Each structure stands twice: as C-alpha cells, then as structure tokens.
Amino acid sequence: MNMKLTLSIAAAISIATFAACNSGSNKNAAHTDTSVDVKSPTYDTSFKVEAESFADLQLLRYQAPGFDDLPLQQKQLAYYLYQAALAGRDIIYDQKSKYGIMLRKTLENIYGTYTGDKNSDDWKNFEVYCGRFWFSNGNHHHYGNEKFFPECNTAAFLKFAESSDTTKFPKNEGESLSAFLTRTVPIIYDPKVEPKLVDLSPNIDNVVASSVNFYEGVTQKEVENFYSKFDSKGDQPMWGLNSKVVKENGQVTERPWKVGGMYSAAIEKIVGWLEKATTVTENDAQKKALELLIQYYQTGDLKTFDQYNIAWVKDTTSRIDVVNGFIEVYLDPIAKKASYESVVSMKDVEATKRIQAISSQAQWFEDNSPLMPQHKKKNVKGIIGKAITVIGQGGDASPASSIGINLPNSEWIRKEYGSKSVSLSNIIYSYNVASSKGGFWQEFGLNDTVINRQKLYGNLAADLLTDMHECIGHASGQINPGVGTPDQTLKNYASCLEEGRADLVGLYYVMDQKLIDIGVMPSLEVGKAEYDNYMLNGLMTQLTRIKPGDQIEEAHMRDRQTIARWAYEHGKAENVVEFVKKNGKTYVKINDYNKLRSLFGQLLREIQRIKSEGDYNAGKNLVETYGVKVDPALHKEVLERYTKLGIKPYRGFIQPELVPVMDGEKITDVKIEYPTSFYKQMMDFGKKYSFLPIKN
C-alpha cells in the first residue's frame, strides 16, 4: 500500500530555491521526455496565494503555469478529465458519513437562502461551520478525524433553518420541517452521534467505532472473516477496494461502487466525461488506460482495475495525466476500502529533471539501504518519476492537498511493472509562498545556524524528502513469500507504518553524498536542514494540529512522532538529540547528525522487517509506544507559541476552474480561471455536481 505525502507546516520557509540538476546530472534518467519543446513554468509573482481563513484553516490558491500554452487537444483532454473529477464529488461526502450528502444540502440551503440578519455573531459562527464542513467533506475534522460542532447553539441553527427556503431542505417524502430538523439536529450537535470518523484505538472493534460509511451492521471480525476467503496471493487484486460491506438476510456481502451499483448516478457522469476524453487522447497508450478505467467503472471488476493501473504505469510520454478512482485507504480503519479522488495534471518538464535523476538510481538506493538482505528487491522496476502541475483536484484530494503521490498501490503491480512517483510542483510553490510569511523558524528555530540553514535550504530539503519518500521509499523493500498484504497483517497500523517506512528511506538518504554526486543537492547542509525540520515537527510542532487532551490518531502524524520519538529515546545515551530550554521556551537540538542518520537506518531496517514478516505485534508496540501519546505540558507550550504567530495549522486550496470557449457544439479553446472565494466555489460546485440521492 502506498500513500500520499502531506506537507508539514514547517516544511518550507522561503521561496529561495536551488537549481536542482546540473546539465549533466540527468543523462541516465529513465523516461526523460526530450521530444517535447516545452517552456519551464513561469509563476506570476503578483498572484495572491492567500484567500479566506477561518477556524484552524487557511485557504490558498494555486496557479497552473503553462496551461494557456497547451495545444487545443490537450486543453480539451484536461477539461474532460477535470469534469470527470468533479462529477464524483458527492461520493466522498457519502463515504465519510451516511448522512454526509443530506447535511451538505441542508447547510447549502441555509447558507444560500437565509433571509435574516447576517451580521450577528451566531450567523458568522454558522458560516465558519459551513466552511469547515466543506473543507473536510463532512463534519469530521479532515486531519484529526474527530467530529466538530457549530459555535452557534441549536436555537440559532433552528432559527436559521426556519428563515430559509423550507421547500429546499432534503426532507423525506411527506416529512414536515419540524420532523426533519428533529432528526437532523443530533447529527450535527450530539457528540455521541458518529463521534469519530476513523478510530484506530487499540483493543477495540475499529470498524464499529469508526463512523466512516464503508461498513454497516457488521463487526471487524466479520469483515476480516469475509475477506479471508479471498485469494490474495500473487497477482490478485486488492479485494474490497471499491465496495461497502453490509449484512443482508444475516449474510455479510458487498455493495460494489460501479455503474448499476452503489453510487451509479455519479459514476455514470464520470464515465461519460472519460468517454469524451478518449476522443482526444495524446496517444494509444493513454487511450487504452482510459478505456480500461471506463470498463472498470462499468463492471466494478478489480482485475480490470489492475489492468488499468498497468496500462497507466506504461504510459510514460503523455503530457496530460489523471488519477481517478477509489485510490487511498486512509479513511478505512482496517485499510481495505478506498476513498474517491481525482487529480488532473500536466507534466512540469523542467522540475521533472530532479525527480528523474533520483528515480534513475533506484537500484543503487535499494542495494545500499540498511535493510536486511532478504528484504531488498533484487530488481527494482519501472519507477517513473516526474513533477506535475496540478490543473484540478476532486474528491478526497481536495481541498486539502498532498504534495506527492506514488501509485499504484498494488504491491504486485509495483513489483512487476513499476510505479509513477510524482511531485506536485505548483502546489508546493503555493505552500512555500504562504510559508515564507509566517515567522515560524524565528519562533521555533534553536539558533541563527538552524534558522539560516532553513532560509537557504528548507524548500529544497522538503522537496528532496518528498521525492525520496515517493520515488524510492514506497518502491523499496519486499514482503516475504507467503506473507499477506499489510492490510491483512498490520491491519489498523498498516498506513502509519508504511508512511514511516517511506519517510525513513528519505531521511536516511537525504544525508548521503550520493544526492550530491547525482546533482540534486549542493551539500549535506540540505540534509541537516531536513533533520532539523523533521525532528522539530515530529517531537513538537505538529502537536498544534490536535486539541489539548487528545492523543495522535492520524497516520502521518503517528508516523512522524514514532520516528522522531524513537530516535530521540534511542539516542539518549549519546545525547544525539535533546530538548533544551532558552528564555523559558523549549527547543530541539541535534548534536550529532551522522548518528541520527544511523538511528534512522536502524528504525528503517526494523519497520521493513515488520512489513516483510507481517509482524503485527511488533508494529503495534512500536506505534503505541512512540507515536500516540502526547506530553500535555509540551503540547500546551506549542499551542501558546503557535497561536501568537497567527499561522493556521491547516491549509487547502480553491480549485482553478476550466471554462470552455464554444462555437456551437465545438470547443475552440479552454480558459483557466482562478476563483478567489472558497465559499462561492463550494456553493457553485454544490449546484453543478450534485448527482447522488440523499441515501445510497
């Protein structure tokens, strides 16, 4: 299972960059596209990146430089794929909660038709709740998974509803407004109703405890027994990826997500746009991949999905690309069901040179890693590394965006056919522009050496960790013969351990002379910058993302604290890393970067062993010991210092909008526009891309 890499708030401080690849560094890179004369993207520095902010969220905007220069056929292709991405928008709301679409339509109706006073504190609090709901695709925090609530009370909410267009609420047939509100208010306000989207607590039934809408009326044991009957050896699919598991007439069964099945109305729209896309593909390989994706949506056959992934990996030359489908399993407490997402992009040819220089050396990295010999791949295949300019995102990929993607997730396809590893260059650019204004390192950096190193190398260090995490990390290592896939063996710890494994590959090599030799970084000072950032984030500053008293639940946060805390504890005897106090404030100090690298290598070896051998107990003990618990005093200090900076801990994006220029029925051009209001876009999307019923 591979995952997306999300951005640490402290990952980048300035917009200073380093010319990552010299003229000779990429001569052996695989799949270099030398046939296309494409300009490097030029960003408009006057473009305003920041948009609305509310609660703990900052909305940003991103540019898609180079889109206007695409030939018409590629613009049409991007437009059709963009429409397909948004056509599945309803799906993610329903996947997150069986009440998700009903709640969204309720909020949209009040926000759009309320006729009362919109200057009151209650209304402003209601607006914030709407923004949070849209940002999280539901009423559970997009990162922490806990349910959140409006800061206006139920009386105010009822007043808003009663002063709105009462004919447009998603009521049941014949239902009165009073009855509708009576059953709706607890879903919004009662902390006992769907309290946790994904509950990964140990020694409980994680399926029953999680409110995500992948299972209904079944226990975790029943689900595991159901899938234990499927053959998962060799080239078998990731069973259960595209279905909801329910109990019908006392029997556990699946409801597949496909045309004619669950979510059919939205999937039919997706298929319609994909069919249009096949008429303007760039080449036969791209057309074949899209046709297989259509066939998969029509049949729900996961073997067809595997064939699509193989065809998609083989398409190495297309400028326009798309991820569309049920992809990542973060939202499933037992890592089987995938959430809907889509990313439409075009290749950033210049930025691709760095990532290709890394991917071309994949076998060297595997051969020289600290893994046990039996866990190393003897023949690392087909890692296609590239940087992309995102054109549009949908489903679980938006509004919060990753900065790197490595797909497909199927272990056997990755082993036999390879994978695509991409860095989202324009998303990273917007994050960096926003981060350069925050003053983070002036507050949390130990001294001028650390702060200045971040100014010089922070962005490059973060980029390299992303590249190594996605390109090399997720593609490295192998599972022992006869051992099941991580969702079977490591269960609710699979996602965290896989993210940690990929992080550790990046951390181990970002302090290696090899990256200097291949021309992607100027000195080991870049590696030191990443170590400073990673340890500070893992030990301290990521705690700004959780509430006082909470433990860490989210997989990426768990992986970062597991790594940082394990290294800190295991390096104590030699004082490799320490907490120091200065003027009453806590700082993280690294005393020996080389010894820290050695510790990262040791932990990488152990986590790979856990994955290769399917050692659930060791994985559980590692994460529960180092990755979950929070020091309340340190947490309180971080929150207080962070609050004074005025920086929002979470960021996401308003999507660009593609607008076709029509001559009758013919598209003569496609324009890209950059909206400035998240709220307006959410309301517009609610009107344009609402295809599913309230109950699915």
Side-chain angles (χ1 to χ4, degrees):
M1 168 174 45
N2 130 297
M3 318 304 151
K4 302 181 287 189
L5 183 66
T6 54
L7 182 73
S8 157
I9 281 292
I13 299 305
S14 71
I15 313 173
T17 56
F18 167 72
C21 295
N22 62 38
S23 59
S25 66
N26 199 37
K27 61 185 179 180
N28 296 318
H31 305 295
T32 303
D33 185 355
T34 58
S35 62
V36 182
D37 182 17
V38 182
K39 298 176 183 176
S40 298
T42 302
Y43 292 97
D44 177 1
T45 56
S46 67
F47 182 87
K48 184 172 174 55
V49 169
E50 296 86 357
E52 298 109 322
S53 65
F54 47 86
D56 56 357
L57 306 170
Q58 173 68 61
L59 271 299
L60 304 176
R61 301 159 72 224
Y62 63 90
Q63 303 171 66
F67 181 84
D68 289 337
D69 298 324
L70 292 174
L72 176 59
Q73 182 177 336
Q74 290 181 7
K75 286 183 177 180
Q76 288 177 297
L77 177 61
Y79 172 70
Y80 294 144
L81 295 174
Y82 174 89
Q83 292 296 332
L86 292 175
R89 181 173 183 260
D90 275 349
I91 296 174
I92 189 62
Y93 279 92
D94 193 77
Q95 287 184 317
K96 284 197 166 186
S97 170
K98 62 184 179 182
Y99 307 116
I101 297 176
M102 183 274 287
L103 289 180
R104 195 194 77 214
K105 288 182 179 294
T106 299
L107 298 182
E108 288 171 348
N109 187 43
I110 296 174
Y111 185 83
T113 69
Y114 173 64
T115 56
D117 179 12
K118 294 186 178 181
N119 294 312
S120 69
D121 288 343
D122 279 338
W123 178 258
K124 290 176 181 176
N125 286 334
F126 173 75
E127 286 184 317
V128 170
Y129 180 73
C130 290
R132 296 186 71 189
F133 186 94
W134 289 322
F135 191 96
S136 295
N137 298 311
N139 64 338
H140 295 86
H141 195 280
H142 77 285
Y143 206 82
N145 288 322
E146 74 278 4
K147 184 176 181 177
F148 56 81
F149 308 91
E151 292 191 14
C152 59
N153 60 29
T154 56
F157 176 82
L158 291 172
K159 182 185 72 173
F160 297 149
E162 290 162 357
S163 298
S164 302
D165 186 342
T166 59
T167 66
K168 293 183 178 178
F169 283 113
K171 302 188 292 286
N172 294 331
E173 187 175 352
E175 187 177 29
S176 67
L177 177 64
S178 175
F180 169 75
L181 293 175
T182 297
R183 67 179 174 87
T184 300
V185 164
I187 300 170
I188 296 174
Y189 282 95
D190 190 340
K192 296 178 182 177
V193 177
E194 296 195 335
K196 202 70 170 285
L197 183 70
V198 182
D199 193 330
L200 297 176
S201 302
N203 307 317
I204 66 168
D205 188 316
N206 300 110
V207 165
V208 173
S210 301
S211 59
V212 65
N213 191 26
F214 294 143
Y215 308 100
E216 192 163 2
V218 291
T219 65
Q220 182 171 341
K221 184 174 179 58
E222 285 175 324
V223 175
E224 290 172 349
N225 287 342
F226 178 78
Y227 285 112
S228 69
K229 300 177 177 65
F230 288 68
D231 181 7
S232 295
K233 298 182 178 64
D235 61 354
Q236 294 301 304
M238 297 173 67
W239 298 115
L241 196 70
N242 63 334
S243 65
K244 179 177 179 177
V245 174
V246 298
K247 192 178 287 184
E248 294 179 354
N249 300 319
Q251 298 296 313
V252 176
T253 188
E254 290 182 306
R255 294 184 60 208
W257 306 325
K258 65 172 186 172
V259 172
M262 193 171 174
Y263 303 142
S264 182
I267 293 173
E268 288 169 33
K269 295 290 186 181
I270 296 171
V271 167
W273 287 110
L274 292 176
E275 287 174 338
K276 287 181 180 290
T278 62
T279 67
V280 288
T281 49
E282 298 175 56
N283 51 59
D284 290 342
Q286 186 180 58
K287 184 174 185 178
K288 179 181 179 181
L290 289 178
E291 287 175 341
L292 284 166
L293 179 58
I294 291 167
Q295 185 180 339
Y296 159 64
Y297 271 133
Q298 290 171 332
T299 64
D301 185 350
L302 286 168
K303 291 188 176 182
T304 302
F305 183 61
D306 281 356
Q307 292 306 306
Y308 154 70
N309 278 306
I310 293 168
W312 179 74
V313 166
K314 288 181 176 180
D315 177 15
T316 62
T317 60
S318 297
R319 180 87 194 278
I320 303 296
D321 204 354
V322 68
V323 172
N324 185 299
F326 305 109
I327 309 297
E328 302 289 2
V329 296
Y330 298 116
L331 292 182
D332 184 352
I334 56 173
K336 291 186 183 297
K337 308 296 176 186
S339 53
Y340 172 78
E341 71 173 79
S342 185
V343 179
V344 183
S345 64
M346 58 183 173
K347 185 185 291 185
D348 179 343
V349 176
E350 187 62 32
T352 291
K353 292 178 183 177
R354 182 188 71 239
I355 199 168
Q356 285 183 335
I358 290 169
S359 63
S360 69
Q361 299 294 322
Q363 192 65 58
W364 186 93
F365 290 121
E366 185 78 352
D367 293 344
N368 289 276
S369 76
L371 305 184
M372 297 178 187
Q374 65 269 33
H375 298 157
K376 295 182 182 182
K377 286 181 179 175
K378 303 301 183 286
N379 184 17
V380 180
K381 292 186 179 180
I383 300 174
I384 298 102
K386 64 177 180 177
I388 62 172
T389 297
V390 176
I391 297 170
Q393 298 171 300
D396 202 31
S398 172
S401 174
S402 65
I403 57 172
I405 303 171
N406 185 290
L407 293 171
N409 287 327
S410 170
E411 292 281 351
W412 78 265
I413 295 177
R414 298 166 70 79
K415 183 177 180 181
E416 297 297 325
Y417 296 95
S419 60
K420 283 183 182 178
S421 178
V422 299
S423 173
L424 283 57
S425 59
N426 59 332
I427 296 293
I428 294 170
Y429 177 85
S430 285
Y431 276 134
N432 287 348
V433 170
S435 295
S436 68
K437 305 171 185 177
F440 174 89
W441 280 102
Q442 285 70 22
E443 174 61 36
F444 288 99
L446 174 66
N447 51 40
D448 288 343
T449 299
V450 170
I451 294 169
N452 291 331
R453 191 155 52 210
Q454 288 298 323
K455 288 180 179 178
L456 286 172
Y457 302 121
N459 289 345
L460 177 60
D463 288 349
L464 285 173
L465 184 69
T466 303
D467 294 346
M468 293 297 299
H469 173 112
E470 299 293 351
C471 256
I472 307 301
H474 283 309
S476 70
Q478 62 183 6
I479 296 174
N480 290 356
V483 174
T485 53
D487 66 295
Q488 297 173 312
T489 59
L490 305 180
K491 302 179 182 179
N492 49 312
Y493 298 98
S495 294
C496 170
L497 291 168
E498 174 61 18
E499 289 305 298
R501 194 183 66 85
D503 267 2
L504 285 162
V505 171
L507 289 167
Y508 184 76
Y509 281 116
V510 80
M511 275 288 289
D512 198 294
Q513 177 68 29
K514 182 70 172 181
L515 297 189
I516 299 173
D517 294 344
I518 65 175
V520 299
M521 74 180 190
S523 76
L524 294 180
E525 288 297 296
V526 177
K528 291 180 179 179
E530 185 51 44
Y531 280 21
D532 290 336
N533 175 60
Y534 199 94
M535 293 300 291
L536 174 63
N537 190 41
L539 291 173
M540 284 183 59
T541 55
Q542 74 167 359
L543 296 178
T544 191
R545 295 186 160 199
I546 60 174
K547 295 184 298 185
D550 284 358
Q551 294 189 332
I552 296 174
E553 291 278 354
E554 200 277 334
H556 296 84
M557 287 185 68
R558 281 186 166 192
D559 109 60
R560 288 190 288 263
Q561 179 166 295
T562 297
I563 291 170
R565 182 64 64 173
W566 187 95
Y568 167 74
E569 296 291 346
H570 284 74
K572 266 187 175 179
E574 297 180 278
N575 202 30
V576 177
V577 180
E578 64 177 322
F579 289 106
V580 297
K581 286 280 190 179
K582 191 168 66 171
N583 299 322
K585 296 180 179 180
T586 307
Y587 297 86
V588 174
K589 182 182 181 184
I590 300 175
N591 294 310
D592 194 320
Y593 290 89
N594 288 323
K595 286 183 179 178
L596 180 56
R597 185 195 183 206
S598 177
L599 288 168
F600 287 150
Q602 292 172 40
L603 184 56
L604 170 59
R605 181 184 177 97
E606 171 60 9
I607 292 182
Q608 181 62 60
R609 184 200 66 77
I610 289 169
K611 179 180 179 180
S612 295
E613 297 177 4
D615 190 343
Y616 173 81
N617 288 329
K620 174 184 175 181
N621 291 337
L622 180 66
V623 175
E624 292 294 335
T625 301
Y626 298 102
V628 177
K629 299 176 181 67
V630 175
D631 178 339
L634 184 62
H635 190 192
K636 182 174 183 290
E637 178 191 335
V638 169
L639 290 174
E640 289 174 351
R641 291 167 68 182
Y642 212 91
T643 299
K644 292 176 182 177
L645 292 176
I647 303 173
K648 302 293 186 182
Y650 302 101
R651 294 167 179 170
F653 290 91
I654 299 171
Q655 297 303 311
E657 294 183 7
L658 300 189
V659 181
V661 178
M662 306 298 295
D663 181 4
E665 296 295 315
K666 183 179 180 182
I667 296 177
T668 59
D669 197 7
V670 178
K671 300 293 186 182
I672 189 164
E673 297 179 353
Y674 301 105
T676 58
S677 171
F678 176 69
Y679 280 76
K680 184 178 185 304
Q681 183 168 80
M682 291 297 96
M683 290 296 286
D684 289 345
F685 282 0
K687 294 173 185 175
K688 295 177 183 176
Y689 303 106
S690 185
F691 303 122
L692 292 181
I694 301 304
K695 297 178 182 178
N696 293 279

